[in-house]
Amino acid sequence: MAGYEAVIGLEVHAQLRTESKLFCSCSTAFGAEPNEHVCELCGGLPGAVPRLNEKAVELAAKAGFALDCTVNASSIFSRKNYFYPDLPGGYQTSQFAPPICEHGRLDVTVNGQTRRIGITRIHLEDDAGKCVHGQGGVTLVDLNRAGTPLIEIVSEPDIRSAEEAAEYMRQIHAILVCIGATDGNMEEGSLRCDANVSVRPRGETRLGTRSEIKNLNSFRNVQKAVEYEISRQLACLEDGVALVQETRLFDSVRQVTQSMRTKEDAHDYRYFPNPDLPPVLVSAEQMTRWRGELPELPAPRAARFVKDYGL
């Protein structure tokens, strides 16, 4: 890294701990037979009208409080338009501007040094389904997960190493499990992240060309994928090879990232307010109650144990 620095931002996707999906009453239970928990709405049929799950709003707001965010009294849902085989409506219902939470922070300590990582936003959205590849030479689609409530926690590009990225992910996991927002089962896909990675000369203020590594589902994979991607980009710069903005996947067996597609920008998604959903309004009474229900968070609890018990 002599002469260069890494610039990393994480988008953490956490499945919220609700019994039903974000906009319908289908179960979110894991492990059912394919396409068992699907109705007209989460199956993308025209004419089905969504109804917001209030528990998901509560858990999203509590995550915002726990991460020192501003929780907005009013936020809106938009349609984020793109095509996946397992996205039956042809769009994802997500929040763009304003989201339910924004302007947070999280302090991360690595090798005795503490750095503050800014959190740009936390927004609510529904999950896509799941493609199952290699079944008799075809791809099958399971929509049980489609419509499951998620929050996406988007960090500022403040992370500077693979170790910091993994530690940030660990702390997000610990906080969300502590407050009951998610069950944290990463092997079941309850918590995963996308890592945006670029490198630039030290002292440079402009961001370099970034790659987004999709669907990292373990702390180890986060660290290993970011480490590899930093080294790959440095090698390209040293060899005079132009970097392109792209989406990549991490092969955990070979420990390498691989190109998947060119990376979209926000304007490519053609966001517009979802006409079937009114603004999400959170009252002052709800904010006070939800904030008051938060338990002691992991970092303050650890500090208290050290102070009170000399651990």
Side-chain angles (χ1 to χ4, degrees):
M1 292 296 292
Y4 292 95
E5 69 173 355
V7 180
I8 304 158
L10 297 188
E11 301 170 6
V12 178
H13 302 260
Q15 179 178 318
L16 295 176
R17 198 171 184 177
T18 60
E19 294 185 2
S20 57
K21 294 184 180 181
L22 187 56
F23 299 115
C24 66
S25 59
C26 290
S27 173
T28 58
F30 181 80
E33 291 297 312
N35 298 307
E36 182 176 335
H37 298 156
V38 185
C39 69
E40 295 85 354
L41 193 137
C42 58
L45 298 185
V49 180
R51 181 177 178 134
L52 180 59
N53 185 331
E54 183 179 347
K55 185 65 175 179
V57 177
E58 174 188 336
L59 295 178
K62 287 181 174 179
F65 290 132
L67 292 168
D68 207 21
C69 292
T70 297
V71 176
N72 291 320
S74 177
S75 58
I76 64 170
F77 280 104
S78 295
R79 291 185 178 181
K80 180 181 180 182
N81 297 272
Y82 60 96
F83 174 77
Y84 279 171
D86 52 8
L87 192 68
Y91 62 87
Q92 181 182 32
T93 303
S94 182
Q95 292 186 312
F96 185 56
I100 189 167
C101 310
E102 52 191 343
H103 309 313
R105 60 184 181 178
L106 180 62
D107 290 338
V108 172
T109 301
V110 174
N111 297 325
Q113 293 188 335
T114 300
R115 297 186 64 255
R116 176 156 292 173
I117 311 301
I119 293 174
T120 309
R121 55 196 283 123
I122 301 175
H123 59 263
L124 277 160
E125 60 188 18
D126 58 356
D127 206 351
K130 181 180 180 181
C131 287
V132 182
H133 304 292
Q135 300 287 331
V138 300
T139 293
L140 304 178
V141 176
D142 179 6
L143 295 180
N144 280 343
R145 197 173 67 186
T148 295
L150 301 177
I151 51 172
E152 181 174 339
I153 304 170
V154 181
S155 82
E156 293 286 332
D158 292 340
I159 300 169
R160 292 294 177 265
S161 71
E163 294 85 358
E164 280 186 12
E167 181 59 23
Y168 173 89
M169 185 75 169
R170 287 188 190 95
Q171 289 202 36
I172 292 287
H173 177 273
I175 289 169
L176 295 183
V177 171
C178 173
I179 67 174
T182 183
D183 61 22
N185 290 329
M186 299 177 75
E187 67 277 7
E188 296 179 1
S190 295
L191 195 77
R192 56 193 190 270
C193 90
D194 304 335
N196 292 280
V197 182
S198 64
V199 295
R200 66 186 178 188
R202 289 192 184 278
E204 176 63 72
T205 57
R206 292 177 299 176
L207 296 174
T209 301
R210 66 189 169 98
S211 295
E212 182 182 33
I213 312 168
K214 297 289 286 185
N215 292 329
L216 301 169
N217 63 352
S218 75
F219 307 130
R220 174 181 171 81
N221 283 352
V222 169
Q223 182 164 339
K224 292 298 183 182
V226 171
E227 284 176 351
Y228 177 84
E229 187 58 22
I230 291 171
S231 66
R232 184 191 72 85
Q233 292 188 22
L234 285 173
C236 288
L237 292 176
E238 290 296 309
D239 293 341
V241 177
L243 293 167
V244 296
Q245 183 171 304
E246 62 182 346
T247 298
R248 299 178 70 87
L249 296 176
F250 180 61
D251 184 331
S252 59
V253 176
R254 297 171 55 217
Q255 299 282 290
V256 299
T257 65
Q258 298 173 299
S259 182
M260 179 182 176
R261 61 176 183 267
T262 56
K263 169 62 182 165
E264 303 92 341
D265 285 311
H267 63 266
D268 295 317
Y269 293 120
R270 306 184 310 283
Y271 282 99
F272 64 88
N274 190 314
D276 293 328
L277 288 164
V280 180
L281 305 179
V282 180
S283 69
E285 184 275 331
Q286 285 173 313
M287 288 198 189
T288 300
R289 174 160 50 86
W290 292 342
R291 185 190 289 272
E293 290 172 351
L294 288 179
E296 186 178 27
L297 298 178
R301 183 172 59 206
R304 179 172 62 82
F305 280 9
V306 170
K307 178 176 180 293
D308 292 352
Y309 304 116
L311 297 180

